[in-house]
Amino acid sequence: NTWRLCTRNQVEELKAIVRLGPIWISGLLSPVALSAHLLFNVPQGNTMNRHIGKAFQIPSASLPVFASLTLLIWVPTYDIIVVPTLRRFTGNNGGISMLQRIGLG
């Protein structure tokens, strides 16, 4: 017989792998979007006026560093200053509710 049936265990394992598909795809799309964002800054930086004063010019390849520095500064500031301040006003442990975050978003 050319048709061979799979065991129930094999079918369940395949179903588990198929359920992981969306997670794998989203895990691949995030780095693609990030790399496109980082690579777009270089050509955009080539067209910008990157001079600070007369003698100093920021290299266009270093412009993506500013996005990383902004995150590096903002995330601890949010956790240390913003959330405790909002917690005092709202009484919510996270500062504001998830619905309020979406509304601000």
Coordinates of all heavy atoms in Angstrom, one line a residue:
N1 N 0.8 -1.2 0.0 CA 0.0 0.0 0.0 C 0.9 1.2 0.0 O 1.8 1.4 0.9 CB -0.9 0.0 1.2 CG -2.0 1.0 1.2 OD1 -2.1 1.8 0.2 ND2 -2.8 1.1 2.2
T2 N 0.6 2.2 -1.0 CA 1.5 3.4 -1.0 C 1.1 4.4 0.0 O 1.8 5.3 0.3 CB 1.3 4.0 -2.4 OG1 0.0 4.3 -2.7 CG2 1.9 3.0 -3.5
W3 N -0.1 4.3 0.5 CA -0.6 5.2 1.6 C -0.2 4.7 2.9 O -0.5 3.6 3.3 CB -2.1 5.4 1.5 CG -2.5 6.2 0.3 CD1 -2.9 5.6 -0.9 CD2 -2.6 7.6 0.1 NE1 -3.2 6.5 -1.8 CE2 -3.0 7.8 -1.2 CE3 -2.3 8.6 0.9 CZ2 -3.2 9.0 -1.8 CZ3 -2.4 9.9 0.4 CH2 -2.9 10.1 -0.9
R4 N 0.5 5.5 3.7 CA 0.9 5.0 5.0 C 0.3 6.0 6.0 O 0.5 7.3 5.9 CB 2.4 5.0 5.1 CG 2.9 4.4 6.4 CD 4.4 4.3 6.4 NE 5.1 5.5 6.7 CZ 5.3 5.9 8.0 NH1 4.9 5.3 9.0 NH2 6.0 7.1 8.2
L5 N -0.4 5.6 7.0 CA -0.9 6.4 8.0 C 0.1 6.8 9.1 O 1.0 6.0 9.4 CB -2.1 5.8 8.7 CG -3.3 5.5 7.8 CD1 -4.4 4.7 8.6 CD2 -3.9 6.8 7.3
C6 N 0.0 8.0 9.5 CA 0.9 8.5 10.6 C 0.2 8.2 11.9 O -1.0 8.0 12.1 CB 1.0 10.0 10.5 SG 1.9 10.6 9.0
T7 N 1.1 8.1 12.9 CA 0.6 7.8 14.3 C 0.0 9.1 14.8 O 0.2 10.2 14.3 CB 1.7 7.4 15.2 OG1 2.7 8.4 15.3 CG2 2.4 6.1 14.7
R8 N -0.8 8.9 15.8 CA -1.5 10.1 16.5 C -0.4 11.0 17.0 O -0.6 12.3 17.0 CB -2.4 9.6 17.5 CG -3.2 10.7 18.2 CD -4.1 10.2 19.2 NE -4.8 11.3 19.9 CZ -6.0 11.2 20.4 NH1 -6.6 10.1 20.4 NH2 -6.5 12.3 20.9
N9 N 0.6 10.5 17.6 CA 1.7 11.3 18.2 C 2.4 12.2 17.1 O 2.7 13.3 17.3 CB 2.7 10.4 18.9 CG 3.6 11.1 19.8 OD1 3.3 12.2 20.3 ND2 4.7 10.5 20.2
Q10 N 2.6 11.6 15.9 CA 3.2 12.4 14.8 C 2.3 13.5 14.4 O 2.8 14.6 14.1 CB 3.5 11.4 13.7 CG 4.7 10.5 13.9 CD 4.9 9.5 12.8 OE1 3.9 9.1 12.2 NE2 6.1 9.1 12.6
V11 N 1.0 13.2 14.3 CA 0.1 14.3 13.9 C 0.1 15.4 15.0 O 0.1 16.6 14.6 CB -1.3 13.7 13.8 CG1 -2.4 14.8 13.6 CG2 -1.4 12.7 12.6
E12 N 0.1 15.1 16.3 CA 0.1 16.1 17.3 C 1.4 16.9 17.3 O 1.4 18.1 17.5 CB -0.1 15.4 18.7 CG -1.5 14.8 18.9 CD -2.6 15.8 18.8 OE1 -2.4 17.0 19.2 OE2 -3.7 15.5 18.3
E13 N 2.5 16.3 17.0 CA 3.8 17.0 16.9 C 3.7 17.9 15.7 O 4.2 19.1 15.8 CB 4.9 16.0 16.8 CG 5.2 15.3 18.0 CD 6.3 14.2 17.8 OE1 6.7 13.9 16.7 OE2 6.7 13.6 18.9
L14 N 3.2 17.5 14.6 CA 3.1 18.4 13.4 C 2.2 19.6 13.7 O 2.5 20.7 13.3 CB 2.6 17.6 12.2 CG 2.4 18.5 10.9 CD1 3.7 19.0 10.5 CD2 1.7 17.7 9.9
K15 N 1.1 19.3 14.4 CA 0.2 20.4 14.8 C 0.9 21.4 15.7 O 0.7 22.7 15.5 CB -1.1 19.9 15.4 CG -2.0 19.2 14.5 CD -3.2 18.5 15.1 CE -3.9 19.1 16.2 NZ -5.0 18.3 16.7
A16 N 1.7 21.0 16.6 CA 2.4 21.9 17.5 C 3.4 22.7 16.7 O 3.6 23.9 17.0 CB 3.2 21.1 18.6
I17 N 4.1 22.1 15.7 CA 5.0 22.8 14.9 C 4.3 23.9 14.0 O 4.8 25.0 13.9 CB 5.9 21.9 14.0 CG1 6.8 21.1 14.9 CG2 6.7 22.6 12.9 CD1 7.5 20.0 14.2
V18 N 3.2 23.5 13.5 CA 2.4 24.5 12.7 C 1.9 25.6 13.5 O 1.9 26.8 13.0 CB 1.2 23.7 12.0 CG1 0.3 24.7 11.3 CG2 1.8 22.8 10.9
R19 N 1.6 25.4 14.8 CA 1.1 26.5 15.6 C 2.3 27.5 15.9 O 2.0 28.6 16.3 CB 0.6 25.9 16.9 CG -0.8 25.4 16.8 CD -1.3 25.1 18.2 NE -2.3 24.0 18.1 CZ -2.1 22.8 18.6 NH1 -1.1 22.5 19.4 NH2 -3.0 21.8 18.4
L20 N 3.5 27.0 15.8 CA 4.6 27.9 16.0 C 4.9 28.8 14.8 O 5.7 29.8 15.0 CB 5.9 27.1 16.4 CG 5.9 26.4 17.7 CD1 7.1 25.5 17.8 CD2 5.9 27.4 18.8
G21 N 4.3 28.5 13.7 CA 4.6 29.3 12.5 C 4.4 30.8 12.6 O 5.3 31.6 12.3
P22 N 3.3 31.3 13.1 CA 3.2 32.7 13.3 C 4.2 33.4 14.2 O 4.7 34.5 14.0 CB 1.8 32.9 13.9 CG 1.0 31.7 13.5 CD 2.1 30.6 13.5
I23 N 4.6 32.6 15.2 CA 5.6 33.2 16.1 C 7.0 33.3 15.4 O 7.7 34.3 15.5 CB 5.8 32.3 17.4 CG1 4.4 32.3 18.2 CG2 6.9 32.7 18.3 CD1 4.4 31.3 19.3
W24 N 7.3 32.2 14.6 CA 8.6 32.3 13.9 C 8.5 33.4 12.8 O 9.5 34.1 12.7 CB 8.8 30.9 13.2 CG 9.2 29.8 14.1 CD1 9.7 29.9 15.3 CD2 9.1 28.4 13.8 NE1 9.9 28.7 15.8 CE2 9.6 27.7 14.9 CE3 8.7 27.7 12.7 CZ2 9.6 26.4 15.0 CZ3 8.8 26.3 12.7 CH2 9.2 25.7 13.8
I25 N 7.4 33.6 12.2 CA 7.3 34.6 11.1 C 7.5 36.0 11.8 O 8.2 36.9 11.3 CB 6.0 34.5 10.4 CG1 6.0 33.2 9.5 CG2 5.7 35.7 9.5 CD1 4.7 32.9 8.9
S26 N 6.8 36.2 12.9 CA 6.9 37.5 13.6 C 8.3 37.7 14.1 O 8.8 38.9 14.1 CB 5.9 37.7 14.7 OG 6.2 36.7 15.7
G27 N 9.0 36.7 14.5 CA 10.4 36.8 14.9 C 11.3 37.1 13.8 O 12.4 37.7 14.0
L28 N 10.9 36.7 12.6 CA 11.8 37.1 11.4 C 11.5 38.5 10.9 O 12.4 39.2 10.4 CB 11.5 36.1 10.3 CG 12.1 34.7 10.5 CD1 11.6 33.8 9.4 CD2 13.6 34.7 10.6
L29 N 10.2 38.9 11.0 CA 9.9 40.2 10.5 C 10.4 41.4 11.3 O 10.7 42.5 10.8 CB 8.3 40.4 10.4 CG 7.7 39.5 9.3 CD1 6.2 39.7 9.3 CD2 8.2 39.8 7.9
S30 N 10.5 41.2 12.6 CA 11.1 42.3 13.4 C 12.5 42.7 13.1 O 12.8 43.9 12.9 CB 11.0 41.9 14.9 OG 9.7 41.7 15.3
P31 N 13.4 41.8 12.9 CA 14.8 42.2 12.5 C 14.8 42.7 11.1 O 15.6 43.6 10.9 CB 15.6 40.9 12.6 CG 14.8 40.0 13.5 CD 13.4 40.3 13.4
V32 N 14.0 42.3 10.2 CA 14.0 42.8 8.9 C 13.5 44.3 8.9 O 14.2 45.1 8.3 CB 13.0 42.0 8.0 CG1 12.8 42.7 6.6 CG2 13.6 40.6 7.7
A33 N 12.5 44.6 9.7 CA 12.0 46.0 9.8 C 13.1 46.8 10.5 O 13.3 48.0 10.0 CB 10.7 46.0 10.6
L34 N 13.8 46.3 11.5 CA 14.8 47.1 12.2 C 16.0 47.3 11.3 O 16.5 48.5 11.2 CB 15.2 46.3 13.4 CG 16.3 47.0 14.3 CD1 15.8 48.4 14.8 CD2 16.8 46.2 15.4
S35 N 16.4 46.3 10.5 CA 17.6 46.5 9.6 C 17.2 47.5 8.5 O 18.0 48.3 8.1 CB 18.0 45.2 9.1 OG 17.1 44.7 8.2
A36 N 16.0 47.5 8.0 CA 15.6 48.4 7.0 C 15.6 49.8 7.5 O 16.0 50.8 6.9 CB 14.2 48.1 6.4
H37 N 15.1 50.0 8.8 CA 15.1 51.3 9.4 C 16.6 51.8 9.6 O 16.8 53.0 9.3 CB 14.4 51.2 10.8 CG 14.6 52.4 11.6 ND1 14.0 53.6 11.3 CD2 15.3 52.7 12.7 CE1 14.3 54.5 12.2 NE2 15.1 54.0 13.1
L38 N 17.4 51.0 10.0 CA 18.8 51.4 10.3 C 19.5 51.7 9.0 O 20.3 52.6 8.9 CB 19.6 50.3 11.1 CG 19.1 50.1 12.5 CD1 19.8 48.9 13.1 CD2 19.2 51.3 13.3
L39 N 19.3 50.9 7.9 CA 19.9 51.2 6.6 C 19.4 52.4 5.9 O 20.1 53.0 5.1 CB 19.8 49.9 5.8 CG 20.6 48.7 6.3 CD1 20.3 47.5 5.4 CD2 22.1 49.0 6.3
F40 N 18.1 52.7 6.2 CA 17.5 53.9 5.5 C 18.1 55.2 6.1 O 18.2 56.2 5.3 CB 16.0 53.9 5.8 CG 15.3 55.1 5.2 CD1 15.2 55.2 3.8 CD2 14.8 56.1 5.9 CE1 14.6 56.3 3.2 CE2 14.2 57.2 5.4 CZ 14.1 57.3 4.0
N41 N 18.6 55.2 7.3 CA 19.2 56.4 7.9 C 20.4 56.8 7.2 O 20.7 58.0 7.1 CB 19.4 56.2 9.3 CG 18.2 56.3 10.2 OD1 17.2 56.9 9.8 ND2 18.2 55.7 11.3
V42 N 21.2 55.9 6.6 CA 22.5 56.3 6.0 C 22.2 57.1 4.7 O 22.8 58.2 4.5 CB 23.3 55.1 5.7 CG1 24.6 55.4 5.0 CG2 23.7 54.4 7.1
P43 N 21.4 56.6 3.8 CA 21.1 57.4 2.6 C 20.4 58.8 2.9 O 20.7 59.8 2.3 CB 20.2 56.6 1.7 CG 20.4 55.2 2.2 CD 20.8 55.3 3.6
Q44 N 19.5 58.7 3.9 CA 18.9 59.9 4.3 C 19.9 60.9 4.9 O 19.8 62.1 4.7 CB 17.8 59.6 5.4 CG 17.0 60.8 5.8 CD 15.9 60.4 6.8 OE1 16.0 59.3 7.4 NE2 15.0 61.3 7.1
G45 N 20.8 60.4 5.7 CA 21.9 61.2 6.3 C 22.8 61.8 5.3 O 23.4 62.9 5.5
N46 N 23.0 61.2 4.1 CA 23.8 61.7 3.1 C 23.2 63.0 2.5 O 23.9 63.9 2.0 CB 24.0 60.7 2.0 CG 25.0 59.6 2.4 OD1 25.9 59.8 3.2 ND2 24.8 58.5 1.8
T47 N 21.9 63.1 2.5 CA 21.2 64.3 2.0 C 21.0 65.4 3.0 O 20.7 66.5 2.6 CB 19.9 63.9 1.4 OG1 19.0 63.4 2.4 CG2 20.0 62.9 0.3
M48 N 21.3 65.1 4.3 CA 21.1 66.1 5.4 C 22.3 67.0 5.5 O 23.4 66.7 5.1 CB 20.9 65.4 6.7 CG 19.6 64.6 6.9 SD 19.6 63.7 8.4 CE 20.0 64.9 9.6
N49 N 22.0 68.1 6.1 CA 23.1 69.0 6.5 C 23.5 68.5 7.9 O 22.8 68.7 8.9 CB 22.6 70.5 6.6 CG 23.7 71.4 7.0 OD1 24.9 71.0 7.2 ND2 23.4 72.6 7.3
R50 N 24.6 67.8 8.0 CA 25.1 67.2 9.3 C 26.2 68.0 10.0 O 26.8 67.5 10.9 CB 25.6 65.8 9.0 CG 24.6 64.9 8.3 CD 25.1 63.5 8.0 NE 26.5 63.5 7.5 CZ 26.8 63.6 6.2 NH1 25.8 63.7 5.3 NH2 28.0 63.5 5.8
H51 N 26.4 69.3 9.6 CA 27.4 70.1 10.2 C 27.0 70.7 11.5 O 25.8 71.1 11.7 CB 27.8 71.3 9.2 CG 28.6 70.8 8.0 ND1 28.0 70.4 6.9 CD2 29.9 70.7 7.9 CE1 28.9 70.1 6.0 NE2 30.1 70.3 6.6
I52 N 27.9 70.6 12.5 CA 27.7 71.3 13.7 C 28.8 72.3 13.8 O 30.0 71.9 14.0 CB 27.7 70.3 14.9 CG1 26.6 69.3 14.8 CG2 27.7 71.0 16.2 CD1 26.5 68.2 15.9
G53 N 28.5 73.5 13.7 CA 29.5 74.5 13.6 C 30.2 74.5 12.2 O 29.6 73.9 11.2
K54 N 31.4 75.0 12.1 CA 32.1 75.1 10.8 C 33.0 73.9 10.6 O 33.2 73.4 9.4 CB 32.9 76.4 10.7 CG 32.0 77.6 10.6 CD 32.9 78.8 10.4 CE 32.1 80.1 10.4 NZ 32.8 81.3 10.2
A55 N 33.5 73.3 11.7 CA 34.5 72.3 11.5 C 34.1 70.9 11.7 O 34.7 70.0 11.2 CB 35.7 72.6 12.5
F56 N 32.9 70.7 12.3 CA 32.6 69.3 12.7 C 31.4 68.9 11.8 O 30.4 69.6 11.7 CB 32.2 69.2 14.2 CG 31.9 67.8 14.6 CD1 32.9 66.9 14.7 CD2 30.6 67.4 14.9 CE1 32.6 65.6 15.1 CE2 30.3 66.2 15.4 CZ 31.3 65.2 15.4
Q57 N 31.5 67.7 11.3 CA 30.4 67.1 10.5 C 30.1 65.7 11.1 O 31.0 64.8 11.2 CB 30.7 67.0 9.1 CG 29.6 66.4 8.2 CD 29.9 66.4 6.8 OE1 31.0 66.7 6.4 NE2 29.0 65.9 6.0
I58 N 28.8 65.4 11.4 CA 28.5 64.0 11.9 C 28.5 63.1 10.7 O 27.8 63.3 9.7 CB 27.1 64.0 12.5 CG1 27.1 65.0 13.7 CG2 26.7 62.7 13.0 CD1 25.7 65.2 14.3
P59 N 29.2 61.9 10.8 CA 29.1 61.0 9.7 C 27.7 60.4 9.5 O 27.0 60.1 10.5 CB 30.1 59.9 10.1 CG 30.9 60.5 11.2 CD 30.1 61.5 11.8
S60 N 27.3 60.2 8.3 CA 25.9 59.7 8.1 C 25.7 58.3 8.6 O 24.6 57.9 9.0 CB 25.6 59.8 6.6 OG 26.5 59.0 5.8
A61 N 26.8 57.5 8.6 CA 26.6 56.1 9.1 C 26.4 56.1 10.6 O 26.0 55.0 11.1 CB 27.8 55.3 8.7
S62 N 26.7 57.1 11.3 CA 26.5 57.1 12.8 C 25.1 57.6 13.2 O 24.8 57.7 14.4 CB 27.6 58.0 13.4 OG 27.4 59.3 13.1
L63 N 24.3 58.0 12.3 CA 23.0 58.6 12.6 C 22.1 57.5 13.3 O 21.3 57.9 14.2 CB 22.3 59.1 11.4 CG 22.9 60.4 10.9 CD1 22.2 60.9 9.6 CD2 22.8 61.5 11.9
P64 N 22.1 56.2 12.9 CA 21.3 55.3 13.7 C 21.6 55.1 15.2 O 20.8 54.7 16.0 CB 21.5 53.9 13.0 CG 22.0 54.3 11.6 CD 22.7 55.6 11.8
V65 N 22.8 55.6 15.6 CA 23.2 55.5 17.0 C 22.3 56.4 17.8 O 22.0 56.1 19.0 CB 24.7 56.0 17.1 CG1 25.1 56.2 18.5 CG2 25.6 54.9 16.4
F66 N 21.8 57.5 17.2 CA 21.0 58.5 18.0 C 19.7 57.8 18.4 O 19.1 58.1 19.4 CB 20.8 59.7 17.2 CG 22.0 60.5 17.0 CD1 22.6 60.7 15.8 CD2 22.6 61.2 18.1 CE1 23.8 61.4 15.6 CE2 23.8 61.9 18.0 CZ 24.4 62.0 16.7
A67 N 19.1 57.0 17.5 CA 17.9 56.2 17.9 C 18.1 55.3 19.1 O 17.3 55.2 20.0 CB 17.3 55.5 16.7
S68 N 19.3 54.6 19.0 CA 19.6 53.7 20.1 C 19.9 54.5 21.4 O 19.5 54.0 22.5 CB 20.8 52.9 19.8 OG 20.6 52.1 18.6
L69 N 20.6 55.6 21.3 CA 20.8 56.4 22.5 C 19.5 57.0 23.1 O 19.4 57.0 24.3 CB 21.8 57.5 22.2 CG 23.2 57.2 22.0 CD1 24.0 58.4 21.5 CD2 23.8 56.6 23.2
T70 N 18.6 57.3 22.2 CA 17.3 57.8 22.7 C 16.6 56.8 23.5 O 16.1 57.0 24.6 CB 16.5 58.3 21.6 OG1 17.2 59.3 20.8 CG2 15.1 58.8 22.0
L71 N 16.6 55.5 23.0 CA 16.0 54.4 23.8 C 16.7 54.1 25.1 O 16.1 53.9 26.1 CB 15.9 53.2 22.9 CG 14.8 53.2 21.9 CD1 14.9 51.9 21.0 CD2 13.4 53.2 22.6
L72 N 18.0 54.2 25.0 CA 18.9 53.9 26.1 C 18.6 54.9 27.3 O 18.7 54.6 28.4 CB 20.3 53.9 25.7 CG 21.3 53.4 26.7 CD1 21.1 51.9 26.9 CD2 22.7 53.6 26.2
I73 N 18.3 56.1 26.9 CA 18.0 57.2 27.9 C 16.6 57.1 28.3 O 16.3 57.3 29.5 CB 18.4 58.6 27.3 CG1 19.9 58.6 27.2 CG2 17.9 59.7 28.2 CD1 20.4 59.8 26.4
W74 N 15.6 56.9 27.4 CA 14.2 57.1 27.7 C 13.7 55.9 28.6 O 12.9 56.1 29.5 CB 13.4 57.2 26.4 CG 11.9 57.1 26.7 CD1 11.1 56.2 26.3 CD2 11.2 58.1 27.4 NE1 9.8 56.5 26.8 CE2 9.8 57.6 27.5 CE3 11.5 59.3 28.1 CZ2 8.8 58.3 28.1 CZ3 10.5 59.9 28.7 CH2 9.2 59.5 28.7
V75 N 14.1 54.7 28.3 CA 13.6 53.5 29.0 C 13.8 53.6 30.5 O 12.9 53.5 31.4 CB 14.0 52.2 28.4 CG1 13.6 51.0 29.3 CG2 13.4 52.0 27.0
P76 N 15.1 53.9 31.0 CA 15.3 54.0 32.4 C 14.6 55.3 33.0 O 14.1 55.2 34.1 CB 16.8 54.2 32.6 CG 17.4 53.6 31.3 CD 16.4 53.8 30.3
T77 N 14.5 56.3 32.2 CA 13.8 57.5 32.7 C 12.4 57.2 32.9 O 11.8 57.7 33.9 CB 14.0 58.7 31.7 OG1 15.4 58.9 31.4 CG2 13.3 59.9 32.1
Y78 N 11.8 56.5 32.0 CA 10.4 56.1 32.1 C 10.2 55.3 33.4 O 9.2 55.5 34.2 CB 9.9 55.4 30.9 CG 8.5 54.9 30.9 CD1 7.5 55.8 30.7 CD2 8.1 53.6 31.2 CE1 6.1 55.4 30.7 CE2 6.8 53.2 31.3 CZ 5.8 54.1 31.0 OH 4.5 53.7 31.1
D79 N 11.0 54.3 33.6 CA 10.9 53.4 34.7 C 11.2 54.1 36.1 O 10.5 53.8 37.1 CB 11.8 52.2 34.6 CG 11.3 51.2 33.6 OD1 10.1 51.2 33.3 OD2 12.1 50.4 33.1
I80 N 12.1 55.0 36.1 CA 12.5 55.6 37.4 C 11.7 56.8 37.7 O 11.4 57.1 38.9 CB 14.1 55.9 37.3 CG1 14.8 54.6 37.2 CG2 14.5 56.7 38.5 CD1 16.3 54.8 36.9
I81 N 11.3 57.6 36.7 CA 10.7 58.9 37.0 C 9.2 58.9 36.6 O 8.4 59.2 37.4 CB 11.4 60.1 36.3 CG1 12.8 60.2 36.8 CG2 10.7 61.4 36.4 CD1 13.7 61.1 36.0
V82 N 8.9 58.5 35.4 CA 7.5 58.7 34.9 C 6.5 57.7 35.6 O 5.5 58.1 36.1 CB 7.5 58.5 33.4 CG1 6.1 58.5 32.9 CG2 8.3 59.5 32.7
V83 N 6.9 56.4 35.7 CA 6.0 55.4 36.3 C 5.7 55.7 37.8 O 4.5 55.7 38.2 CB 6.5 54.0 36.1 CG1 5.7 53.0 36.9 CG2 6.4 53.6 34.6
P84 N 6.7 56.0 38.6 CA 6.4 56.4 40.0 C 5.5 57.6 40.1 O 4.7 57.7 41.0 CB 7.8 56.6 40.6 CG 8.7 55.8 39.8 CD 8.2 55.9 38.4
T85 N 5.8 58.6 39.3 CA 4.9 59.8 39.3 C 3.5 59.5 39.0 O 2.6 60.0 39.7 CB 5.5 60.9 38.4 OG1 6.9 61.1 38.7 CG2 4.7 62.2 38.5
L86 N 3.3 58.7 37.9 CA 1.9 58.4 37.5 C 1.3 57.5 38.5 O 0.1 57.6 38.8 CB 2.0 57.7 36.1 CG 2.3 58.6 35.0 CD1 2.4 57.8 33.7 CD2 1.2 59.6 34.8
R87 N 2.1 56.6 39.2 CA 1.6 55.7 40.2 C 1.0 56.5 41.4 O 0.0 56.2 41.9 CB 2.7 54.8 40.7 CG 2.2 53.7 41.6 CD 3.3 52.8 42.1 NE 4.0 52.1 40.9 CZ 5.3 52.0 40.7 NH1 6.1 52.4 41.7 NH2 5.7 51.4 39.7
R88 N 1.6 57.6 41.7 CA 1.2 58.5 42.8 C -0.2 59.1 42.5 O -1.1 59.2 43.3 CB 2.2 59.6 43.1 CG 2.8 59.5 44.5 CD 3.8 60.6 44.8 NE 5.0 60.4 44.0 CZ 5.7 61.3 43.4 NH1 5.3 62.6 43.5 NH2 6.7 61.0 42.7
F89 N -0.4 59.5 41.2 CA -1.6 60.2 40.8 C -2.7 59.2 40.6 O -3.9 59.5 40.9 CB -1.4 61.0 39.5 CG -0.6 62.3 39.8 CD1 0.7 62.4 39.2 CD2 -1.1 63.3 40.6 CE1 1.4 63.6 39.5 CE2 -0.4 64.4 40.8 CZ 0.9 64.6 40.3
T90 N -2.4 58.0 39.9 CA -3.5 57.1 39.5 C -3.8 56.0 40.5 O -4.8 55.4 40.6 CB -3.2 56.5 38.2 OG1 -2.0 55.7 38.3 CG2 -3.0 57.5 37.1
G91 N -2.8 55.6 41.4 CA -2.9 54.5 42.3 C -2.7 53.2 41.6 O -2.8 52.1 42.2
N92 N -2.5 53.2 40.3 CA -2.3 51.9 39.5 C -0.8 51.5 39.7 O 0.1 52.4 39.6 CB -2.6 52.2 38.1 CG -2.6 50.9 37.3 OD1 -2.1 49.9 37.7 ND2 -3.3 50.9 36.1
N93 N -0.6 50.2 39.9 CA 0.8 49.8 40.1 C 1.7 50.0 38.9 O 2.9 50.3 39.1 CB 0.8 48.3 40.5 CG 2.1 47.8 41.1 OD1 2.8 48.6 41.6 ND2 2.4 46.5 40.9
G94 N 1.1 49.9 37.7 CA 2.0 50.2 36.5 C 2.0 51.6 36.1 O 2.6 51.9 35.0
G95 N 1.5 52.5 36.9 CA 1.5 53.9 36.5 C 0.1 54.3 35.9 O -0.6 55.1 36.4
I96 N -0.1 53.7 34.7 CA -1.4 53.9 34.0 C -1.9 52.6 33.5 O -1.1 51.6 33.4 CB -1.3 54.9 32.8 CG1 -0.2 54.5 31.9 CG2 -1.0 56.3 33.4 CD1 -0.1 55.4 30.6
S97 N -3.2 52.5 33.2 CA -3.7 51.2 32.7 C -3.3 50.9 31.3 O -2.8 51.8 30.6 CB -5.2 51.2 32.8 OG -5.8 52.1 31.9
M98 N -3.5 49.7 30.8 CA -3.1 49.3 29.5 C -4.0 50.1 28.5 O -3.5 50.6 27.4 CB -3.3 47.8 29.3 CG -2.8 47.3 28.0 SD -1.0 47.7 27.7 CE -0.3 46.6 28.9
L99 N -5.2 50.4 28.8 CA -6.1 51.1 27.9 C -5.6 52.6 27.8 O -5.6 53.2 26.7 CB -7.5 51.1 28.4 CG -8.6 51.7 27.5 CD1 -8.6 51.1 26.1 CD2 -9.9 51.7 28.2
Q100 N -5.1 53.1 28.9 CA -4.6 54.5 28.8 C -3.3 54.5 28.0 O -3.1 55.5 27.3 CB -4.3 55.0 30.2 CG -5.6 55.3 31.0 CD -5.3 55.6 32.5 OE1 -4.4 55.0 33.1 NE2 -6.1 56.4 33.1
R101 N -2.5 53.5 28.1 CA -1.3 53.4 27.3 C -1.6 53.4 25.8 O -1.0 54.0 25.0 CB -0.4 52.2 27.7 CG 0.2 52.3 29.0 CD 0.9 51.0 29.4 NE 1.2 51.0 30.8 CZ 2.4 50.8 31.3 NH1 3.4 50.5 30.5 NH2 2.6 50.8 32.6
I102 N -2.6 52.6 25.5 CA -3.0 52.5 24.1 C -3.6 53.8 23.6 O -3.3 54.3 22.5 CB -4.1 51.4 23.9 CG1 -3.5 50.0 24.2 CG2 -4.7 51.4 22.5 CD1 -4.4 48.9 24.3
G103 N -4.3 54.5 24.5 CA -4.8 55.8 24.1 C -3.8 56.9 23.9 O -3.8 57.7 23.0
L104 N -2.7 56.8 24.7 CA -1.6 57.7 24.5 C -0.7 57.3 23.3 O -0.1 58.2 22.7 CB -0.7 57.7 25.7 CG -1.2 58.4 27.0 CD1 -0.3 58.1 28.2 CD2 -1.4 59.8 26.7
G105 N -0.7 56.0 22.9 CA 0.2 55.4 22.0 C 0.3 56.1 20.6 O 1.2 56.1 19.9

